[in-house]
Every structure is written in structure tokens, then in C-alpha cells.
Amino acid sequence: MSDTLFNIKQIIALIVFIIAFSLMGMMTGQPLMVLFYAGVIALASGITFLIIRKRQRHSEISLQKNPLPKRIFGAILSLLALATPLLMIFFTNLITIPIQIGALPIVIVLGVTLAFIALFALAIFLINHLDGFAMRLVGYLIVILVSFIPGLLISLYDKTSSTIGSIYYVALAVLVLGYNGINLLIAKD
């Protein structure tokens, strides 16, 4: 019974994941893109499931002997994490900032994105890998302080709640992509 409940929870989590990320299709301004995003994410999840199932032996997943595909996928996710804010700002109508596409705004957005990912990675390292209450407390304080960065930066241009909410949606996508990409890149073989 516990295996059935576990499988049901996994299926529900996958459905919620697909729905949440398919809503990114709304940022294009075309509601039909939600279905396209849902299809792409469902397809990627299905391929991942099939790859894991092929390598699975009863209740354990066999480790891949060649770490190169894992590293390549990690690099792609990391690059996507860096590119997501640029794509959202310059090529969608999700966030409207009155700036021209040029070298300086691109460098600023990339720098803020890198700092955002690095500070969250530092917080995760302090919380999960160092012993002691003080280090964990510092890690949680870093998470709290860094979580203000997207809202503070976007409020310089637009203080509407929809824009601030949108920037946090983008920040969440950056964190998920960055965290998974970094974990795949630095995973121990």
C-alpha cells in the first residue's frame, strides 16, 4: 500500500510540475503556448522516465558508467538558468523594462543572475553541508536576504504587483534550473 501511495504522490507531483511550468507559456501573450509548453515538458518528462526505467533494476537505479551525458545536461541546464532572465526581459511581454537591448543591460542582468545563483548555492552549502547551528542560521539568513533581490531590482522600473510576481516566477525558474544544473555538473561519479 505504501508503494501505491508513493507512486500516486509522484504522479501528482509530476502533474503539478507540468502545470506550473506550462504557465510560462502565458508570458508570450498567446494562450495556446501554454499547451505547447505543457507538451514539451510532458515529452521531456516522459523521455526522462523511459531512460531511467531502462537503466532500472528492480528497486535500484543503476549508475551510468559514462558521466559525459550527465555533465552535458548539467551544462545545458546551467546555461538555461543564466539565459532565462534575458529571454524573459528582452523577448517576452511578461516583464516590461524600458531599456534598449545592448551590451550593458545584458551584462548587468547576467551579473545579477550569477550573483543570485551563487548566493543561493552558498546558502545551500551552509545549510546542508556544514555542521553547526550558526552555519545553518547564516545560510537561512542569506536565503531571506537574497530573496529580496528580484523584487527590489524590478521595483526600480515597475512597482505593480503583477510585474513583481512575474519576476519571482522567473527567479524560481532560474533557481530550479541552476540548482539542478550545478548538481549534475559537480555530481560525484
Side-chain angles (χ1 to χ4, degrees), residues 33 36 49 52-53 80 99 112 125 146 153 163 189:
M33 290 302 288
F36 175 74
F49 173 75
I52 289 174
R53 190 165 184 209
L80 269 173
I99 57 174
V112 168
F125 177 75
V146 172
L153 290 177
T163 303
D189 296 324

Side-chain angles (χ1 to χ4, degrees), residues 29-96:
Q30 300 174 2
L32 198 57
M33 290 302 288
V34 173
L35 296 175
F36 175 74
Y37 275 73
V40 168
I41 292 169
L43 180 68
S45 299
I47 290 171
T48 304
F49 173 75
L50 291 175
I51 289 172
I52 289 174
R53 190 165 184 209
K54 267 187 171 180
R55 300 186 193 291
Q56 191 171 11
R57 214 176 14 170
H58 300 291
S59 63
E60 66 183 44
I61 296 174
S62 62
L63 295 174
Q64 210 175 14
K65 296 197 188 247
N66 186 1
L68 186 61
K70 190 185 327 181
R71 300 272 160 76
I72 291 172
F73 192 60
I76 291 170
L77 287 177
S78 298
L79 289 174
L80 269 173
L82 290 174
T84 297
L86 291 172
L87 294 172
M88 298 303 128
I89 290 171
F90 296 124
F91 299 112
T92 68
N93 60 359
L94 182 68
I95 301 165
T96 54

Side-chain angles (χ1 to χ4, degrees), residues 19 23 30 68 86 96 113 126 139 145 149 167 174:
I19 290 171
L23 291 176
Q30 300 174 2
L68 186 61
L86 291 172
T96 54
T113 305
L126 291 174
L145 291 175
I149 290 175
I167 199 73
V174 167

Side-chain angles (χ1 to χ4, degrees), residues 105-173:
I106 290 173
V107 169
I108 291 171
V109 170
L110 280 175
V112 168
T113 305
L114 275 172
F116 187 69
I117 293 171
L119 288 170
F120 263 106
L122 173 65
I124 290 169
F125 177 75
L126 291 174
I127 294 167
N128 293 336
H129 298 290
L130 293 182
D131 291 332
F133 176 75
M135 288 294 117
R136 288 188 178 149
L137 182 63
V138 170
Y140 285 117
L141 288 174
I142 291 173
V143 167
I144 291 168
L145 291 175
V146 172
S147 65
F148 286 109
I149 290 175
L152 289 174
L153 290 177
I154 201 66
S155 68
L156 297 173
Y157 296 100
D158 190 355
K159 292 182 188 324
T160 61
S161 60
S162 63
T163 303
I164 292 174
S166 298
I167 199 73
Y168 277 107
Y169 196 68
V170 172
L172 178 64

